[in-house]
Amino acid sequence: GENVEQHPSTLSVQEGDSAVIKCTYSDSASNYFPWYKQELGKGPQLIIDIRSNVGEKKDQRIAVTLNKTAKHFSLHITETQPEDSAVYFCAASTGGGSYIPTFGRGTSLIVHP
Amino acid sequence: GAGVSQSPSNKVTEKGKDVELRCDPISGHTALYWYRQSLGQGLEFLIYFQGNSAPDKSGLPSDRFSAERTGGSVSTLTIQRTQQEDSAVYLCASSPPRLAGRYEQYFGPGTRLTVT
């Protein structure tokens, strides 16, 4: 089955700096890669996703890049703000009829004012 | 529109008792998932429903755990003879129909279960 590794487990940055979280996956058939943000006491919320036919996707201060050959994808957050502090999860799946994503173990991002 | 809702938000129970956790998915979402999240940990997959059927129950940790979904909507996760190691946040998520070519999951706020 699919295996997703996520690094780092904790990331501490100063407000205004950039943050990068990296994930690798094992199943070359995976074709959908979402990122979720989980704030304290809440369920995860989708913030951005990318499909295997696209190499990069941006949405304001966040972007995701995908390298299919190397089987890794990354989340980039620019101009970080204290409200970006949360746990971020990456996931990978093969899509299809029985879509069950495999999640990374999460990255705790702390943005210091 | 309304998101995924879960009830209760918190549940404290004594070891050995049975508990039922409820999930109301977004209307029209055909897929429904249950996950368990222990303190500071990642998401542990429990079970997946497509409509009312559960093609994948591989994540249920023991036969004390069961789940059902009726009418293609509400789902109930039941834990029998609860143990202290069952203490965790139980998250439910739903997804739009595959025909729409969408795979994103919408999570509820979770039920925090504490077994004393």
Side-chain angles (χ1 to χ4, degrees):
Chain A
E2 175 66 276
N3 182 50
V4 176
E5 298 284 341
Q6 182 173 348
H7 300 280
S9 57
T10 304
L11 180 58
S12 183
V13 300
Q14 289 296 127
E15 182 177 0
D17 288 350
S18 294
V20 180
I21 303 170
K22 299 181 179 181
C23 289
T24 60
Y25 61 100
S26 61
D27 189 347
S28 57
S30 288
N31 58 12
Y32 176 66
F33 308 91
W35 286 88
Y36 292 86
K37 175 183 180 182
Q38 186 176 28
E39 297 176 335
L40 197 61
K42 298 183 179 180
Q45 180 180 11
L46 179 73
I47 55 171
I48 195 167
D49 57 12
I50 192 168
R51 296 177 190 268
S52 59
N53 58 348
V54 176
E56 183 177 5
K57 184 176 179 180
K58 291 183 179 180
D59 183 3
Q60 300 183 340
R61 295 186 298 108
I62 61 173
V64 57
T65 58
L66 171 65
N67 184 324
K68 287 177 57 181
T69 302
K71 290 190 283 197
H72 68 69
F73 57 112
S74 301
L75 177 71
H76 304 253
I77 306 174
T78 59
E79 300 173 17
T80 53
Q81 302 168 4
E83 51 266 38
D84 294 330
S85 296
V87 178
Y88 292 79
F89 292 96
C90 65
S93 80
T94 56
S98 181
Y99 167 71
I100 301 175
T102 301
F103 284 85
R105 295 181 63 84
T107 295
S108 177
L109 174 64
I110 303 166
V111 181
H112 299 281
Chain B
V4 177
S5 61
Q6 293 185 246
S7 60
S9 55
N10 281 283
K11 177 70 176 179
V12 180
T13 189
E14 292 181 351
K15 177 182 174 181
K17 295 286 181 68
D18 297 351
V19 295
E20 283 190 353
L21 312 180
R22 177 187 169 107
C23 172
D24 281 271
I26 293 173
S27 178
H29 281 194
T30 53
L32 186 146
Y33 308 79
W34 283 98
Y35 294 89
R36 181 168 68 176
Q37 187 173 37
S38 300
L39 186 63
Q41 299 300 308
L43 300 170
E44 178 187 3
F45 169 76
L46 298 178
I47 190 169
Y48 154 75
F49 287 93
Q50 184 63 250
N52 290 335
S53 64
D56 194 327
K57 303 180 182 179
S58 62
L60 294 177
S62 76
D63 57 8
R64 296 187 296 106
F65 287 72
S66 63
E68 64 175 14
R69 188 180 185 195
T70 55
S73 181
V74 172
S75 177
T76 302
L77 177 69
T78 301
I79 308 173
Q80 296 179 311
R81 305 181 301 282
T82 52
Q83 305 293 314
Q84 288 187 329
E85 59 263 30
D86 298 335
S87 296
V89 174
Y90 290 82
L91 291 163
C92 174
S94 67
S95 290
R98 297 292 175 266
L99 289 176
R102 296 170 58 189
Y103 303 108
E104 67 268 27
Q105 294 177 303
Y106 295 81
F107 284 84
T111 293
R112 180 173 297 279
L113 175 66
T114 303
V115 182
T116 62

